[in-house]
């Protein structure tokens, strides 16, 4: 049994059988090489992720293919899938997990070998070998079968990807894609693509019109760049960059591709420009060549110019009703500019459970799915989309039966939700305050509507980040004033700009590990002019407003003291009353300095989103580790108890301002510890109020 021969055989099967299902040949080939009596492939059902389906077999009855479905919690196949490891069992029929499937020719086989078909991230199914006689469990057999399973998986993935592409070519066919669920719920809605700050919502009326618009924009863009070349050519400024922009605009393949996209797919000039640019950017980024990677910036610049000349870079984005947002990644700034009430679901290429998108999706109770590659391209022809946040599925252009099924499901979940809300009340002896975490005027209005007891956290960075790194004191203080007026409350906490990690402006430098880099208080101390500008914006607010200031992301008391002194200095210079200044407790190191912190901070706000992220090393934006985000976990609750014991002695105000309190079970546990003040997303407030 030569490993190389086995692998070559597998590759040949695939190369020579592109037109037909190669799975049958794969199992036959493996059975012959391994000299087993049965070789089968079980794959996870696309639609029901609790079931494995027999997709190919050599040795069992052929009629069993597609008919045999096994619950993942049953049998030795299920055991291999759940355990996600190579499983070798002799005398398999005596194993407590053995499950006999009648009528498929499953003789009493002695040896069972299950090998998960897995990548680092997902397990797609199980490769099974069965032998009539007991075999010897050797290291070399195990290595051989594990290598074979990796090879088989890559062939399977390629095969299904091709199958998907064929489906995709058929524009109106129902297509189902699977991703990673971030927020539960089901929605049926209108696809709205967001790429590079641009939103595509409409279908075009005339292809010729779009081609003309594109040609005009191309001419304007070239003229603009020629003008720049003329302006700078004698001024010792390197104009090479502009020459390379012209070269791209005159590169017939780039421009022709955009025009073809408009013609073939009947799409607007704007979205065609964006999608073709993205295609190039992705290709360039994939190459390990720093020179080519630099060209990504050129392409991005050019596409922004083309879009501006198409009049497509609108800042005041108006979403249509029932929008399902589809994006490669939604930035917090973009999110803050949407009217959330118009959104029914989010689909992103990459995001994590505690990313702002996911937090908001969960708190408003709308589904959100991530982890689908090329999501923009895959949904280009979608007219309606169903998003199933329970199973992590998106269904493009659903057929009538699917629509009906999902309408029933929506009703079913609605009924359960009502029952749940009526049944459970949280018992508490003390009065609980439910404040809102807000970022925009719309959030402020929502907080007011939902009866928030105050604003526990105003994320001021969202407004700033939408302005591409420019802080205009007047503009910001006017915005703050409007938000204060909209909330009409005496309990209002402004958080100083918490920039960094996933909340960066395009001007910020690329750090190799931004979550550990310049963020929050560190960023402010590094950019003091910006910090002072923001304090000035606060000082220009009317004296009649009652608000406090909160300093984010503190790892060391010194950072707090330095910023506090700058605030005091600015207020004293103007002879103004200094607001209360609080500290965010969200970096684990600070937990061990609470005795010192309480001497200098007026109040405390525990940022549980980050506290969890930094304590458990779980990136809040990474979907692959989302399942590790469990705030009901004992260790986390012990930390919360420790903090409460330390801080409650001070008699100073303590808020919990992360989203953990939006979950009923966690909220109850935190109340049992003694916490009384919670600040959550305004979209979840009504639901939380119904728990008391
Ligand atoms: C937190 O970290 O819990 C928090 C409320 O702040 P943000 O989510 O903005 O980091
Ligand atoms: Mg935080």
């Amino acid at each position: 049994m030569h490993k190389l021969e086995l692998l070559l055989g597998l590759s040949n099967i695939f190369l020579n059988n592109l037109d037909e299902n190669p799975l049958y040949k794969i199992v036959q080939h493996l059975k012959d090489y391994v000299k087993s009596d049965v070789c089968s492939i079980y794959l996870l059902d696309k639609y029901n992720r609790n079931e494995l389906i027999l997709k190919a077999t050599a040795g069992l009855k052929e009629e069993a293919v597609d008919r045999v479905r096994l619950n993942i919690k049953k049998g030795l196949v299920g055991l291999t899938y759940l355990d996600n490891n190579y499983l070798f069992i002799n005398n398999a029929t005596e194993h407590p997990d053995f499950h006999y499937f009648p009528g498929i020719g499953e003789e009493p086989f002695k040896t069972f070998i299950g090998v998960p078909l897995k990548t680092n991230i997902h397990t797609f199914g199980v490769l099974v070998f069965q032998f009539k006689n007991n075999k010897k469990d050797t290291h070399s057999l195990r290595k051989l079968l594990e290598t074979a399973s990796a090879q088989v998986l890559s062939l399977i993935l390629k095969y299904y990807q091709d199958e998907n592409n064929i489906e995709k070519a058929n524009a109106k066919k129902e297509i189902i894609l699977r991703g990673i669920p971030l927020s539960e719920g089901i929605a049926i809605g209108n696809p709205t693509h967001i790429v590079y700050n641009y939103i595509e919502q409409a279908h075009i009326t005339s292809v010729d019109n779009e081609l003309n618009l594109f040609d005009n924009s191309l001419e304007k863009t070239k003229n603009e760049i020629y003008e720049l070349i003329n302006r700078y050519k004698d001024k010792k400024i390197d104009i090479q960059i502009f020459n390379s922009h012209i070269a791209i605009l005159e590169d017939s393949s780039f421009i022709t591709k955009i025009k073809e996209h408009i013609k073939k797919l009947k799409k607007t000039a704007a979205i065609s420009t964006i999608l073709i640019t993205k295609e190039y950017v992705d290709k360039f980024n994939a190459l390990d060549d720093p020179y080519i990677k630099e060209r990504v910036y050129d392409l991005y610049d050019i596409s922004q110019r083309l879009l501006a000349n198409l009049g497509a870079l609108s800042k005041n984005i108006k979403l249509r009703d029932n929008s399902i947002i589809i994006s490669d990644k939604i930035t917090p700034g973009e999110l803050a500019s949407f009217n959330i009430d118009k959104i029914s679901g989010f689909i992103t290429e990459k995001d994590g459970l505690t990313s702002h998108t996911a937090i908001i999706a969960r708190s408003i109770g709308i589904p959100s799915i991530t982890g689908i590659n090329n999501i923009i391209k895959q949904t280009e022809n979608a007219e309606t989309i169903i998003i199933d946040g329970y199973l992590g599925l998106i269904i493009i252009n659903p057929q009538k039966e699917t629509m009906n099924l999902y309408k029933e499901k929506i009703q079913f979940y609605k009924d359960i939700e009502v029952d749940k809300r009526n049944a459970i009340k949280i018992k508490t002896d003390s009065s609980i305050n439910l404040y809102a975490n807000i970022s925009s005027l719309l959030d402020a209005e929502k907080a007011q509507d939902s009866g928030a007891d105050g604003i526990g956290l105003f994320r001021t960075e969202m407004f700033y980040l939408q302005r591409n790194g420019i802080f205009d004191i007047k503009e910001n203080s006017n915005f703050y004033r409007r938000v204060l007026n909209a909330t009409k409350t005496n309990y209002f906490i402004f958080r100083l700009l918490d920039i960094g990690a996933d909340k960066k402006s395009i001007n910020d430098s690329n750090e190799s590990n931004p979550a550990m880099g310049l963020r929050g208080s560190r960023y402010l101390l590094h950019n003091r002019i910006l910090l002072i500008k923001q304090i000035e914006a606060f000082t220009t607010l009317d004296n009649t407003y009652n608000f406090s200031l909160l300093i984010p992301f503190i790892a060391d008391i010194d950072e707090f003291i330095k910023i506090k002194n700058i605030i005091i200095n600015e207020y004293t210079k103007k002879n103004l009353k200094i607001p209360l200044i609080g500290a965010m407790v969200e970096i684990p190191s600070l937990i061990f300095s609470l005795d010192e912190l309480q001497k200098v901070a007026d109040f405390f706000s525990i940022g549980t989103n980050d506290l969890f992220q930094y304590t458990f090393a779980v990136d809040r934006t990474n979907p692959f580790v989302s399942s590790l985000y469990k705030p009901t976990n004992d260790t986390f609750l012990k930390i919360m108890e420790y903090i409460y014991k330390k801080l409650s002695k001070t008699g100073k105000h303590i808020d919990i301002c992360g989203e953990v309190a939006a979950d009923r079970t966690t909220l109850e546990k935190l109340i049992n510890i003694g916490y009384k003040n919670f600040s959550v997303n305004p979209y979840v407030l009504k639901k939380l109020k119904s728990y008391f």
Side-chain angles (χ1 to χ4, degrees):
M1 209 174 355
H2 296 290
K3 192 159 143 185
L4 199 60
E5 216 174 304
L6 173 79
L7 296 180
L8 277 176
L10 284 172
S11 301
N12 281 338
I13 289 172
F14 184 65
L15 290 174
N16 298 329
N17 291 277
L18 282 177
D19 296 335
E20 45 181 294
N21 183 340
L23 301 190
Y24 170 72
K25 294 229 162 112
I26 290 175
V27 284
Q28 194 61 49
H29 177 73
L30 286 172
K31 176 175 175 280
D32 292 348
Y33 267 86
V34 177
K35 296 195 171 50
S36 64
D37 296 296
V38 174
C39 173
S40 312
I41 292 174
Y42 292 82
L43 293 182
L44 200 61
D45 184 359
K46 270 198 209 171
Y47 311 109
N48 174 359
R49 296 202 288 171
N50 288 321
E51 280 188 344
L52 290 154
I53 312 176
L54 177 66
K55 293 303 286 184
T57 182
L60 298 182
K61 285 189 183 159
E62 238 180 86
E63 308 90 85
V65 170
D66 281 330
R67 270 189 39 232
V68 169
R69 296 177 154 267
L70 308 171
N71 188 295
I72 51 167
K73 294 196 184 126
K74 266 198 173 163
L76 297 176
V77 182
L79 188 63
T80 314
Y81 176 81
L82 287 181
D83 194 44
N84 209 13
N85 267 313
Y86 180 89
L87 184 68
F88 182 103
I89 295 173
N90 272 338
N91 298 323
T93 47
E94 288 158 30
H95 191 279
D97 280 311
F98 177 78
H99 177 78
Y100 179 67
F101 217 99
I104 60 169
E106 214 180 20
E107 317 286 317
F109 293 108
K110 286 244 159 84
T111 300
F112 171 98
I113 303 178
V115 198
L117 291 161
K118 64 177 179 182
T119 62
N120 286 343
I121 295 152
H122 288 299
T123 304
F124 293 84
V126 180
L127 179 64
V128 172
F129 297 90
Q130 287 166 291
F131 300 82
K132 285 190 176 141
N133 299 317
N134 274 337
K135 292 274 300 174
K136 213 166 155 219
D137 184 9
T138 64
H139 181 70
S140 62
L141 178 66
R142 176 183 180 143
K143 280 288 145 230
L144 179 80
L145 297 186
E146 281 179 342
T147 317
S149 106
Q151 180 85 351
V152 167
L153 179 63
S154 67
L155 302 183
I156 289 175
L157 289 179
K158 179 81 184 81
Y159 172 66
Y160 281 102
Q161 191 183 339
D162 287 347
E163 233 194 10
N164 256 346
N165 289 344
I166 295 163
E167 279 188 63
K168 221 177 65 193
N170 190 347
K172 298 288 169 285
K173 216 177 154 194
E174 176 175 301
I175 299 171
I176 300 181
L177 302 172
R178 178 163 344 135
I180 304 168
L182 288 180
S183 166
E184 290 184 341
I186 293 172
I188 303 174
N190 305 310
T192 297
H193 292 100
I194 302 186
V195 198
Y196 296 159
N197 297 323
Y198 172 73
I199 298 195
E200 171 85 344
Q201 305 194 74
H203 289 273
I204 62 166
T205 46
S206 144
V207 167
D208 286 343
N209 190 28
E210 293 300 320
L211 288 171
N212 281 338
L213 286 172
F214 181 73
D215 282 338
N216 287 340
S217 151
L218 182 61
E219 272 321 296
K220 273 194 203 161
T221 306
K222 277 194 217 166
N223 289 340
E224 275 172 18
I225 299 174
Y226 280 127
E227 226 173 82
L228 289 173
I229 294 176
N230 271 334
R231 196 188 311 162
Y232 292 123
K233 71 173 180 255
D234 304 322
K235 294 191 180 152
K236 288 192 188 149
I237 288 178
D238 184 9
I239 55 165
Q240 191 44 41
I241 183 159
F242 300 126
N243 285 331
S244 60
H245 286 188
I246 289 288
I248 294 174
L249 289 169
E250 284 178 349
D251 165 5
S252 58
S253 69
F254 178 64
I255 301 300
T256 314
K257 269 199 154 188
I258 297 179
K259 289 187 176 182
E260 272 181 1
H261 195 268
I262 300 174
K263 277 192 251 173
K264 278 199 193 137
L265 290 159
K266 297 196 177 29
K267 290 283 168 183
T268 59
I271 194 75
S272 305
T273 305
I274 284 166
L275 292 178
I276 299 301
T277 309
K278 188 174 183 310
E279 201 176 303
Y280 274 69
V281 167
D282 290 348
K283 266 189 207 145
F284 286 2
N285 272 333
L287 297 173
D288 207 11
D289 178 330
Y291 172 78
I292 291 185
K293 281 198 168 154
E294 276 301 305
R295 302 284 71 78
V296 165
Y297 296 106
D298 294 341
L299 275 168
Y300 184 76
D301 272 3
I302 286 169
S303 79
Q304 293 293 300
R305 279 186 190 281
L306 286 168
L307 291 172
N309 286 326
L310 280 165
L313 282 188
S314 150
K315 284 232 156 113
N316 297 318
I317 299 151
K318 294 254 182 299
L319 290 178
R320 58 183 162 169
D321 284 343
N322 212 10
S323 286
I324 292 196
I325 304 285
I326 304 168
S327 179
D328 48 353
K329 184 169 172 65
I330 300 171
T331 64
E334 275 168 340
L335 200 57
S337 65
F338 297 149
N339 180 351
I340 303 269
D341 287 336
K342 303 255 181 207
I343 302 178
S344 314
F346 290 107
I347 307 171
T348 49
E349 208 166 287
K350 38 188 184 291
D351 246 321
L353 259 186
T354 49
S355 70
H356 285 274
T357 321
I359 289 173
I360 293 195
R362 267 200 309 279
S363 54
I364 334 169
I366 64 172
S368 170
I369 291 180
T370 195
I372 304 179
N373 278 337
N374 276 327
I375 185 62
I376 311 272
K377 235 180 160 24
Q378 302 224 53
T379 51
E380 247 183 333
N381 289 314
E383 281 177 3
T384 305
I385 283 192
I386 296 179
I387 144 166
D388 180 338
Y390 294 102
L391 296 178
L393 300 179
I394 74 163
I395 301 152
I396 304 168
N397 296 327
Q399 302 295 295
K400 209 168 152 209
E401 305 81 67
T402 317
M403 273 290 226
N404 289 341
L405 178 79
Y406 269 95
K407 281 181 186 158
E408 277 173 28
K409 277 193 176 194
I410 291 174
Q411 193 51 46
F412 172 75
Y413 285 114
K414 259 193 199 151
D415 295 344
I416 292 188
E417 197 47 43
V418 171
D419 288 353
K420 262 206 276 183
R421 250 182 255 172
N422 291 342
I424 314 162
K425 295 280 175 212
I426 297 178
K427 285 199 196 91
T428 165
D429 301 332
S430 48
S431 69
I432 302 295
N433 288 311
L434 293 177
Y435 306 122
N437 295 340
I438 62 169
S439 315
S440 65
L441 203 55
L442 282 163
D443 285 353
E445 283 158 7
K446 188 81 191 172
Q448 182 66 13
D449 277 3
S450 316
D453 295 314
I455 302 301
L457 174 70
F458 178 27
R459 293 184 167 105
T460 57
E461 61 276 4
M462 301 303 183
F463 182 78
Y464 165 74
L465 287 174
Q466 282 171 272
R467 267 135 196 89
N468 294 340
I470 296 163
F471 192 97
D472 182 278
I473 298 175
K474 207 160 162 208
E475 191 188 20
N476 280 272
S477 78
N478 281 344
F479 174 59
Y480 299 163
R481 194 170 296 114
R482 283 166 65 204
V483 175
L484 281 163
N485 289 340
T487 48
K488 301 181 194 85
T489 169
N490 271 333
Y491 187 85
F492 195 111
I493 298 177
F494 278 107
R495 179 172 71 187
L496 268 56
L497 297 163
D498 181 19
I499 301 167
D502 60 326
K503 297 182 280 192
K504 269 179 176 285
S505 97
I506 51 170
N507 297 339
D508 289 330
S509 50
N510 268 336
E511 294 167 283
S512 57
N513 193 353
M516 302 282 178
L518 278 185
R519 184 183 165 182
S521 60
R522 297 172 191 176
Y523 187 99
L524 293 171
L525 288 168
H526 192 79
N527 295 281
R528 287 191 191 215
I529 299 178
L530 176 66
L531 168 62
I532 291 175
K533 276 186 182 176
Q534 189 180 30
I535 301 169
E536 250 189 278
F538 293 129
T539 59
T540 55
L541 292 172
D542 204 320
N543 261 344
T544 55
Y545 294 120
N546 204 357
F547 60 82
S548 315
L549 298 180
L550 179 62
I551 304 178
F553 203 74
I554 305 156
D556 187 281
I557 305 268
D558 260 5
E559 290 160 343
F560 179 82
I561 296 175
K562 278 184 187 148
I563 295 181
K564 182 177 168 178
N565 286 341
I566 297 174
I567 299 174
I568 294 176
N569 196 25
E570 291 304 308
Y571 268 80
T572 322
K573 270 199 281 187
K574 293 192 175 174
N575 225 351
L576 289 168
K577 186 173 159 256
I578 299 158
L580 294 179
I581 302 173
M584 277 202 86
V585 179
E586 54 183 348
I587 301 184
S589 59
L590 198 64
I591 299 175
F592 301 99
S593 313
L594 293 178
D595 291 336
E596 291 77 38
L597 181 69
Q598 58 91 9
K599 291 183 196 147
V600 284
D602 297 322
F603 66 96
F604 314 96
S605 184
I606 308 172
T608 47
N609 301 338
D610 280 314
L611 186 57
F612 198 97
Q613 154 161 278
Y614 290 101
T615 311
F616 288 83
V618 172
D619 175 356
R620 58 195 273 183
T621 65
N622 180 346
F624 301 123
V625 290
S626 283
S627 57
L628 303 176
Y629 185 84
K630 289 189 194 106
T632 43
N633 148 325
D634 272 356
T635 311
F636 189 65
L637 289 170
K638 270 187 212 153
I639 294 171
M640 294 303 287
E641 194 165 355
Y642 176 86
I643 298 176
Y644 184 78
K645 279 196 180 138
K646 283 270 171 198
L647 293 182
S648 56
K649 282 193 233 145
T650 67
K652 292 181 179 173
H653 193 90
I654 315 163
D655 271 0
I656 289 190
C657 75
E659 292 303 320
V660 289
D663 171 68
R664 197 200 161 283
T665 320
T666 321
L667 177 66
E668 195 165 13
K669 292 196 168 166
L670 293 169
I671 289 174
N672 288 339
I673 291 176
Y675 288 103
K676 297 178 187 62
N677 306 306
F678 302 92
S679 194
V680 290
N681 211 288
Y683 300 88
V684 82
L685 267 170
K686 277 205 173 132
K687 190 166 97 185
L688 287 201
K689 284 186 163 243
S690 72
Y691 295 151
F692 295 96

